[in-house]
């Protein structure tokens, strides 16, 4: 299955690099000890692949050794035909009324929530 | 690594110019290899704060500094502190994509993001489209591949203005690459820019290029269940061109089943069965192009 893994890893490598770049842009402290990411279940990004890539990408940066916490909001949606709210496990959801016309309300998140940084001074 | 999306090596991305004689020269703007253009680092806070901050911050005061996405909150021990960032991972790309969209709209240029798996027939379809539709709709092409100029040379021979982007290790085009290519291509007002993305049904789905519409090209040789297997790709596309229909007599592929699967992912998607080798169905695709290029300001699809 290595070929499949490689296929996924190429994709998540780019995403993970974006995350690390954005953190390094925003944070000037020399050491980040924890990073909190939000990766929705319908986002098209695989959390385990991001974890795999994370260790590679952070080497030599302020995030090296940082703990990576990923929260994975479940998907939710609304049927456009009967207005019912649904929990979406994937993008193939069909409403109980039989309609596949479901508006995704959440689950596509791809967001950097917060970091913990180590610093001798507290600014706020 | 690319600072926009991190795909592969930044210096591995090459944008070829539209002029065949200059194909191996680097483009005019930004850094020569990757074209991180004039505005690309000017958006420290592209995130627009339109989401509710309702995700259970654990710190005591929970206050976000007014007008600032970074609220620093001291922890108990004073040695570490939490910084709320609340940034979209793809914010940088999306900001550039929006700028592309504005740039295109101001010039009345309609850009389409053409995506498919490798071998679905994108380049052949483009050759045919250039040969048969370019007289009624001015067309230009941005050609994305990991390596080689093979496809751009084919399309240049077909008479098109073509800019090649080689992504190196990258598995998709991003908005920054397209910006560089647009600057090099200088598309005529009222024209259509066909952006041929890297052949891949996974990664390109996540990256807005600033296009007017997304078009997925699927081939009947790929199986009916492609929409179910690659839902992210099919979820947001505006049009599916189902190519190679001339091969249907030799396959067990059922077009109706493919359409049913595609609509389970994307109920509103338009599906046009075509054959780039026999021209079956192509007039409907040309009509689609002509209809959208003439729509006022290209609003909506």
């Amino acid at each position: 299955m290595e070929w499949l893994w490689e296929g996924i890893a190429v994709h998540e490598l780019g995403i993970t690099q974006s995350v690390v770049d954005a953190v390094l842009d925003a944070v000037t402290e020399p050491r980040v000890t924890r990073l909190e990411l939000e990766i929705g279940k319908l986002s098209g990004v695989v959390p385990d692949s991001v974890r795999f890539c994370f260790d590679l990408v952070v080497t030599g940066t302020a995030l090296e050794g940082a703990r990576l916490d990923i929260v994975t909001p479940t998907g939710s949606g609304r049927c456009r035909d009967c207005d019912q709210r649904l929990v979406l496990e994937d993008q193939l959801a069909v409403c109980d009324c039989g309609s596949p016309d479901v508006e995704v309300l959440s689950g596509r998140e791809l967001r950097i929530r917060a970091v913990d940084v180590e610093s001798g001074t507290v600014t706020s | 690594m690319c600072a926009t999306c991190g795909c592969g090596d930044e210096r591995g991305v090459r944008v070829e110019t539209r002029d065949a004689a200059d194909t191996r020269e680097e483009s005019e703007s930004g850094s020569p290899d990757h074209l991180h253009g004039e505005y690309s680092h000017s958006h420290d806070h592209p995130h627009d704060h339109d989401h509710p901050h309702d995700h259970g911050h654990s710190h005591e005061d929970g206050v976000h500094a007014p007008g600032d996405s970074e609220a620093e909150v001291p922890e108990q021990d004073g040695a570490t502190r939490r910084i709320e960032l609340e940034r979209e991972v793809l914010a940088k790309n999306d900001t550039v994509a929006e700028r592309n969209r504005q740039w295109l709209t101001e010039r009345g240029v309609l850009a389409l993001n053409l995506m498919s798996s490798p071998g679905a027939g994108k380049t052949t379809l483009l050759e045919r489209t250039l040969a048969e539709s370019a007289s009624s709709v001015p067309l230009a092409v941005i050609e994305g591949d990991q390596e080689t100029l093979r496809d751009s040379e084919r399309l240049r021979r077909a008479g098109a203005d073509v800019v090649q982007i080689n992504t190196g290790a990258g598995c998709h085009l991003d908005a920054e690459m397209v910006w560089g290519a647009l600057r090099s291509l200088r598309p005529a007002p009222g024209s259509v820019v066909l952006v041929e993305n890297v052949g891949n049904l996974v990664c390109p789905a996540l990256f807005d290029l600033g296009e007017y519409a997304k078009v997925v090209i699927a081939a009947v040789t790929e199986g009916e269940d492609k929409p179910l297997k690659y839902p992210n790709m099919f979820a947001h596309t505006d049009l599916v061109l189902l190519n190679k229909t001339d091969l249907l007599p030799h396959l067990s592929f059922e077009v109706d089943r493919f359409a049913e699967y595609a609509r389970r992912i994307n109920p509103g998607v338009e599906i046009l069965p075509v054959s780039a080798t026999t021209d079956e169905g192509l007039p409907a695709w040309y009509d689609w192009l002509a209809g959208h290029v003439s729509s006022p300001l290209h609003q909506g699809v």
Side-chain angles (χ1 to χ4, degrees):
Chain A
M1 294 298 282
E2 194 175 342
W3 59 272
L4 178 62
W5 172 249
E6 285 176 1
I8 293 169
V10 167
H11 168 49
E12 272 73 9
L13 184 60
I15 296 295
T16 310
Q17 184 70 50
S18 293
V19 169
V20 171
D21 288 343
V23 170
L24 294 174
D25 276 354
V27 173
T28 55
E29 282 74 6
R31 186 158 138 71
V32 175
T33 56
R34 195 179 77 89
L35 167 62
E36 189 178 322
L37 280 184
E38 193 174 59
I39 299 178
K41 286 198 170 165
L42 309 181
S43 68
V45 173
V46 180
D48 280 349
S49 299
V50 172
R51 289 182 198 285
F52 177 83
C53 296
F54 186 70
D55 289 340
L56 303 175
V57 167
V58 298
T59 303
T61 75
L63 284 97
E64 186 164 352
R67 194 174 103 197
L68 176 61
D69 288 337
I70 300 178
V71 293
T72 53
T74 53
S76 68
R78 181 187 67 85
C79 175
R80 288 197 180 92
D81 285 332
C82 74
D83 208 33
Q84 188 178 180
R85 296 291 173 115
L86 307 170
V87 173
L88 306 180
E89 295 297 331
D90 54 42
Q91 302 213 41
L92 309 179
V94 176
C95 179
D96 292 342
C97 77
S99 171
D101 193 357
V102 176
E103 177 190 7
V104 175
L105 299 175
S106 68
R108 292 206 169 112
E109 300 82 359
L110 200 52
R111 185 178 297 143
I112 305 163
R113 281 186 171 180
V115 291
D116 289 353
V117 296
E118 207 168 71
S119 167
T121 56
V122 176
T123 58
S124 62
Chain B
M1 283 274 175
C2 163
T4 300
C5 66
C7 61
D9 183 349
E10 176 178 359
R11 300 189 65 79
V13 177
R14 302 177 296 279
V15 178
E16 305 290 335
T17 67
R18 66 191 301 216
D19 183 343
D22 295 330
T23 50
R24 282 163 183 80
E25 285 185 12
E26 282 126 359
S27 183
E28 69 221 31
S29 67
S31 65
D33 288 309
H34 197 85
L35 297 166
H36 279 194
E38 61 199 29
Y39 59 86
S40 63
H41 299 288
S42 63
H43 45 79
D44 288 336
H45 297 272
H47 173 43
D48 61 9
H49 287 245
D50 62 354
H51 62 84
H53 283 208
D54 58 359
H55 42 71
H57 295 170
S58 58
H59 48 76
E60 286 180 17
D61 57 9
V63 174
H64 282 199
D68 193 342
S69 65
E70 298 166 28
E72 300 186 352
V73 181
E75 297 286 327
Q76 301 88 328
D77 58 9
T80 64
R81 67 180 193 282
R82 177 182 171 93
I83 302 177
E84 304 286 342
L85 292 174
E86 293 298 340
R87 293 187 178 202
E88 299 299 323
V89 172
L90 297 176
K92 217 166 194 175
N93 181 78
D94 292 347
T95 302
V96 178
E98 200 48 47
R99 173 71 179 265
N100 288 350
R101 206 178 329 273
Q102 269 181 27
W103 191 92
L104 289 160
T105 302
E106 284 163 8
R107 287 157 182 77
V109 175
L110 184 143
L112 302 178
N113 182 2
L114 308 183
M115 298 175 286
S116 80
S117 47
K122 279 198 304 292
T123 309
T124 303
L125 185 77
L126 281 177
E127 280 180 315
R128 190 101 192 195
T129 303
L130 290 164
E132 296 174 3
S133 199
S135 58
S136 54
V137 179
L139 298 171
V141 176
I142 293 173
E143 176 67 38
D145 277 310
Q146 287 200 319
E147 295 294 345
T148 86
L149 303 176
R150 293 173 67 88
D151 285 355
S152 62
E153 284 164 358
R154 275 174 67 182
L155 296 170
R156 208 169 267 131
R157 281 197 295 274
D161 278 344
V162 183
V163 167
Q164 173 85 40
I165 302 172
N166 281 133
T167 58
C171 47
H172 56 267
L173 296 180
D174 65 31
E176 193 75 57
M177 297 177 200
V178 169
W179 168 245
L182 286 171
R183 294 286 302 269
S184 180
L185 188 65
R186 298 186 296 274
S191 63
V192 173
V193 175
L194 301 168
V195 181
E196 184 174 345
N197 215 314
V198 178
N200 171 356
L201 283 179
V202 180
C203 310
L206 282 179
F207 290 85
D208 183 8
L209 306 180
E211 72 276 64
Y212 163 76
K214 298 180 195 296
V215 180
V216 169
I217 295 147
V220 297
T221 47
E222 296 178 59
E224 295 145 343
D225 56 356
K226 269 291 187 295
L228 303 184
K229 293 166 84 172
Y230 297 93
N232 280 307
M233 175 58 67
F234 285 84
H236 300 293
T237 195
D238 303 290
L239 173 67
V240 175
L241 296 175
L242 182 59
N243 193 22
K244 306 192 184 182
T245 54
D246 54 298
L247 297 177
L248 282 172
H250 310 287
L251 304 168
S252 59
F253 189 99
E254 289 181 32
V255 173
D256 287 348
R257 183 165 295 165
F258 174 87
E260 180 204 326
Y261 290 154
R263 290 190 174 117
R264 272 171 62 180
I265 302 295
N266 184 345
V269 71
E270 196 170 352
I271 300 168
L272 297 178
V274 299
S275 166
T277 53
T278 67
D279 89 359
E280 180 185 345
L282 287 179
W285 157 235
Y286 302 151
D287 287 348
W288 189 97
L289 268 180
H292 285 279
V293 77
S294 61
S295 64
L297 297 175
H298 314 315
Q299 291 300 310
V301 174

